[in-house]
């Protein structure tokens, strides 16, 4: 709350969590937006998200289709746009 008359209080956005699974140890867990990274490339082979498995420590990289990209960017996941050098 701001405490000032006529000034709306700032609301904190609820933290966003994503369900993920590790292909190495097969653990399922929830990750915050800050634990994920999204790379958007020129095509499906260069568009992916990544994270570190909290159970076994494996570096995980998975393909990201249009819907996954939409969900992750909407949830505040840091995004890296890859540029091709021609």
């Amino acid at each position: 709350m701001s405490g000032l008359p006529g000034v709306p209080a700032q609301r904190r956005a609820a933290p966003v969590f994503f369900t993920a699974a590790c292909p190495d140890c097969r653990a399922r867990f929830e990750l915050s937006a800050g634990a994920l990274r999204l790379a958007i490339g020129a095509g499906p082979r260069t568009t992916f998200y990544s994270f570190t498995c909290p159970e076994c420590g494996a570096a995980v990289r998975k393909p990201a289709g249009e819907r996954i990209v939409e969900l992750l960017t909407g949830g505040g996941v840091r995004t890296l746009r890859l540029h091709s050098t021609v």
Side-chain angles (χ1 to χ4, degrees):
M1 295 179 76
S2 72
L4 299 174
V7 177
Q10 290 182 343
R11 294 185 186 199
R12 288 189 179 169
V16 177
F17 289 91
F18 299 92
T19 301
C22 177
D24 289 352
C25 71
R26 300 190 183 273
R28 294 186 61 79
F29 38 81
E30 288 189 341
L31 294 171
S32 68
L36 294 156
R37 298 292 176 267
L38 174 63
I40 300 176
R45 299 186 82 199
T46 57
T47 300
F48 60 89
Y49 64 100
S50 62
F51 58 91
T52 300
C53 175
E55 297 293 321
C56 71
V60 179
R61 177 177 161 164
K62 294 187 174 189
E66 288 182 31
R67 181 69 178 140
I68 297 294
V69 169
E70 184 180 313
L71 290 170
L72 294 178
T73 55
V77 172
R78 272 194 252 170
T79 303
L80 172 66
R81 296 200 182 270
L82 304 175
H83 299 281
S84 63
T85 55
V86 184

